[in-house]
Amino acid sequence: MAIDPGSIFSKLGAFTSDHESVVSMNLFVALLCACIVIGHLLEETRWMNESITALAIGLCTGVVILLTTRGKSSRLLVFSEDLFFIYLLPPIIFNAGFQVKKKQFFRNFMTIILFGAVGTLISFGIISLGAKYVFEGLNLRQLDIGDYLAIGAIFSATDSVCTLQVLNQDETPLLYSLVFGEGVVNDATSVVLFNAIQSFDLSHIDSSIALKFVGNFLYLFILSTLLGVLTGLLSAYIIRKLYFGRHSTDREVALMILMAYMSYMLAELFYLSGILTVFFCGIVMSHYTWHNVTESSRVTTKHAFATLSFVAEVFIFLYVGMDALDIERWSIVSNSPKKSVQFSSILLGLVLIGRAAFVFPLSILSNLTKKNTHEKLKFKQQLVIWWAGLMRGAVSMALAYNKFALFETKDRKNAFMITSTITVVLFSTVVFGLMTKPLIRLLLPSPKHLVRMASSEPTSPKSFIVPLLDNGQGTESNQSNQNVPRPSSLRMLLTTPTNTVHYYWRKFDDAFMRPVFGGRGFVPFVPGSPTDRSNH
């Protein structure tokens, strides 16, 4: 008996039966598998990466579905903001915090905050003002002030996945920590900005509204960070006191995963930034909780968090590729192709200008605060940082859907904004992404030389043998045990502020935090535990 593919795909946009839902999910899972297999086969190529592979497969799938449904639909699943913000984004951000080399991250913390928070605000202002004046100059007067501010927040959200897949955390630790850290703080800042814009009455803007906006932004930023830290510490305390591993490693692994997810949901419950909360929860868990579990649980959690993050990223780019061919949305703007091209080109140009407007000036400012020449950002490194933030991805898409997708079929303006966002995301990810690997090889031809310049962490054979269990902290513990004569605290703070803060944090951590919350060297002795294993 023959099966008509058109009859299956024609109803996938709105699930009318459980069987059709199962069919669509099976097809989507098969596509995810195809992305992983093809991405692996193309891993050694000069141009491709996982993101571009998933986008290309999504586009091809969208074309097939369009043909089989006779132009009625291009998707297997209907986009949902809840799906993205509640299920896909948390594992990606948590894994980012959990896997980061904390010493390198916090050594460059001020520069990361400078780029991720201050830089995002500068980019937000330039994109918002530029869009307002350019669109009005071209007689595109369909948007109001709230729309322009939303555009600034939407297109300030970067996606540095492509660059991070090329940069190596061990070979170029300075660049990796800056690009990685800025990307996370940037996403959090963009989402906080967007939510703040949505919650204010922008019909009349005055100084009081601006002060409330800044106050609300700082409130969300600080409280979100504190909530993530407290949740991570709570998980460390519970696992250290109860030590589930003596009976079942499954329980401690499950508790880590659930408490990591709970930190994100608590932030959403209290209207805070879930991105910042789950990111700092990941950092705290990797510093304390991870060392309180058995060795098998350490390996399991590392792989589990990395796998969940990887699948979520592929899922997002695969869906974006399919959704880019939504025929209904493009039919609304098809009568004005010139205006659609203008919209997209202007937004892409503003992204380029807004990015350059803060990367190079703030890099110079950051260099002025560093006395060590090796820690200063060279011009080629600044170019890599600028390029890494040009790509727009899932966060921009989700925010654009949140703002403009509700009445897009009835409102021409909203359809223009959705299609323009999709165009910018596709163009920046594919074109800039394809050029990323050759550009980095051109600008940074000798990463082994850069690692000696940019990093004070010596590479040892042990870091290659057990990179999974070392977690980038072996050198930290070694350095904390060195009895090096030190000058006065004030002199240390003035000459090397970052190293001084790190030194006193380690003293405080060893004296007060680790005895309570566990961590390296403070795990209770239980047969079969990490402590027992290390003693042997």
Side-chain angles (χ1 to χ4, degrees):
M1 182 175 65
I3 299 176
D4 180 17
S7 64
I8 296 177
F9 286 119
S10 62
K11 298 178 182 178
L12 288 178
F15 300 141
T16 56
S17 72
D18 291 338
H19 180 69
E20 289 169 4
S21 302
V22 171
V23 170
S24 62
M25 285 305 300
N26 270 283
L27 292 172
F28 208 93
V29 170
L31 289 173
L32 287 174
C33 295
C35 289
I36 294 172
V37 172
I38 296 174
H40 171 73
L41 295 175
L42 298 176
E43 188 176 9
E44 298 301 323
T45 63
R46 184 179 175 86
W47 307 92
M48 298 296 287
N49 57 54
E50 301 283 357
S51 306
I52 299 174
T53 302
L55 270 176
I57 292 176
L59 285 169
C60 294
T61 306
V63 171
V64 172
I65 298 175
L66 276 176
L67 294 175
T68 55
T69 59
R70 297 177 180 86
K72 294 180 181 179
S73 176
S74 66
R75 295 170 295 188
L76 291 172
L77 301 173
V78 177
F79 182 85
S80 168
E81 292 168 46
D82 290 340
L83 174 67
F84 175 75
F85 280 107
I86 296 180
Y87 301 109
L88 298 178
L89 192 59
I92 296 174
I93 302 299
F94 177 82
N95 186 64
F98 194 75
Q99 303 284 0
V100 68
K101 289 189 174 181
K102 296 180 291 298
K103 184 177 179 180
Q104 192 68 35
F105 177 82
F106 284 106
R107 177 182 292 162
N108 302 297
F109 187 72
M110 294 310 298
T111 306
I112 288 171
I113 292 296
L114 199 63
F115 285 159
V118 179
T120 302
L121 291 173
I122 294 173
S123 178
F124 162 75
I126 289 175
I127 293 174
S128 298
L129 291 174
K132 183 177 186 301
Y133 288 114
V134 175
F135 286 168
E136 288 181 353
L138 294 173
N139 293 321
L140 304 174
R141 303 178 182 274
Q142 303 153 315
L143 304 172
D144 55 32
I145 185 64
D147 293 330
Y148 288 121
L149 292 176
I151 288 172
I154 289 168
F155 290 98
S156 295
T158 65
D159 185 352
S160 5
V161 171
C162 292
T163 309
L164 291 178
Q165 288 175 354
V166 180
L167 290 175
N168 188 288
Q169 190 167 197
D170 296 315
E171 293 176 351
T172 54
L174 175 62
L175 274 181
Y176 190 95
S177 66
L178 289 178
V179 173
F180 162 80
E182 185 218 339
V184 175
V185 177
N186 166 276
D187 285 345
T189 305
S190 301
V191 173
V192 169
L193 271 174
F194 184 84
N195 292 335
I197 291 166
Q198 299 295 92
S199 62
F200 279 97
D201 180 16
L202 300 173
S203 56
H204 56 283
I205 300 178
D206 52 24
S207 57
S208 63
I209 290 289
L211 287 174
K212 288 180 181 178
F213 182 83
V214 173
N216 188 45
F217 177 81
L218 294 175
Y219 164 81
L220 291 174
F221 213 91
I222 294 171
L223 279 191
S224 300
T225 302
L226 288 176
L227 180 60
V229 171
L230 290 175
T231 309
L233 290 176
L234 179 63
S235 70
Y237 185 79
I238 292 174
I239 289 180
R240 180 175 184 269
K241 284 296 182 183
L242 300 180
Y243 206 79
F244 297 96
R246 75 185 72 182
H247 300 299
S248 170
T249 58
D250 297 340
R251 292 174 184 171
E252 58 186 5
V253 172
L255 189 66
M256 282 187 71
I257 294 174
L258 290 174
M259 291 201 72
Y261 187 68
M262 187 180 72
S263 70
Y264 185 89
M265 296 310 299
L266 281 174
E268 296 298 312
L269 178 67
F270 295 115
Y271 302 101
L272 301 175
S273 171
I275 294 177
L276 270 179
T277 298
V278 78
F279 175 69
F280 280 97
C281 179
I283 291 179
V284 172
M285 275 194 172
S286 70
H287 190 65
Y288 297 109
T289 314
W290 190 73
H291 292 286
N292 295 345
V293 300
T294 58
E295 186 173 323
S296 60
S297 294
R298 291 195 220 174
V299 177
T300 302
T301 51
K302 276 283 188 178
H303 284 300
F305 291 135
T307 302
L308 288 172
S309 172
F310 173 75
V311 172
E313 285 179 3
V314 175
F315 187 103
I316 290 169
F317 282 104
L318 182 62
Y319 179 82
V320 169
M322 284 190 288
D323 194 58
L325 297 174
D326 185 5
I327 199 70
E328 182 180 1
R329 188 181 299 126
W330 287 101
S331 64
I332 300 174
V333 301
S334 61
N335 295 332
S336 308
K338 182 179 178 181
K339 184 179 290 188
S340 180
V341 172
Q342 283 181 330
F343 255 76
S344 304
S345 302
I346 291 168
L347 291 172
L348 192 61
L350 290 172
V351 166
L352 294 167
I353 296 170
R355 182 78 185 163
F358 77 82
V359 168
F360 300 108
L362 293 184
S363 296
I364 295 172
L365 182 62
S366 174
N367 288 341
L368 292 175
T369 64
K370 297 178 179 178
K371 294 186 178 181
N372 190 340
T373 308
H374 300 321
E375 292 183 352
K376 294 184 178 182
L377 290 170
K378 310 298 187 295
F379 181 71
K380 289 183 178 180
Q381 294 172 317
Q382 295 175 28
L383 277 176
V384 172
I385 295 172
W386 171 72
W387 187 268
L390 292 180
M391 284 157 275
R392 297 297 178 263
V395 174
S396 295
M397 287 287 296
L399 295 180
Y401 274 100
N402 183 290
K403 176 66 179 176
F404 298 108
L406 187 59
F407 302 108
E408 63 172 300
T409 55
K410 301 177 182 178
D411 195 324
R412 189 179 182 83
K413 170 196 72 175
N414 291 344
F416 264 109
M417 288 313 307
I418 294 291
T419 53
S420 297
T421 304
I422 291 173
T423 303
V424 171
V425 168
L426 284 177
F427 184 87
S428 63
T429 302
V430 175
V431 177
F432 296 157
L434 284 173
M435 297 171 63
T436 296
K437 192 177 289 187
L439 180 70
I440 291 179
R441 287 182 178 177
L442 176 67
L443 295 175
L444 308 174
S446 54
K448 296 296 182 184
H449 175 60
L450 284 177
V451 69
R452 290 193 293 271
M453 293 170 52
S455 174
S456 65
E457 296 183 6
T459 304
S460 63
K462 182 181 178 182
S463 64
F464 291 101
I465 297 170
V466 285
L468 190 64
L469 295 179
D470 183 56
N471 201 30
Q473 297 176 2
T475 54
E476 289 185 34
S477 58
N478 294 336
Q479 289 182 357
S480 65
N481 295 327
Q482 293 176 351
N483 296 317
V484 181
R486 297 179 180 273
S488 66
S489 302
L490 181 60
R491 185 178 175 188
M492 286 174 62
L493 190 61
L494 292 175
T495 54
T496 56
T498 306
N499 293 336
T500 305
V501 171
H502 179 260
Y503 168 70
Y504 283 107
W505 158 250
R506 289 309 302 259
K507 290 186 69 175
F508 172 78
D509 191 27
D510 291 339
F512 300 101
M513 298 296 288
R514 294 193 186 197
V516 177
F517 299 104
R520 185 186 296 275
F522 288 94
V523 184
F525 177 81
V526 176
S529 70
T531 307
D532 181 35
R533 185 66 176 258
S534 63
N535 289 338
H536 283 82

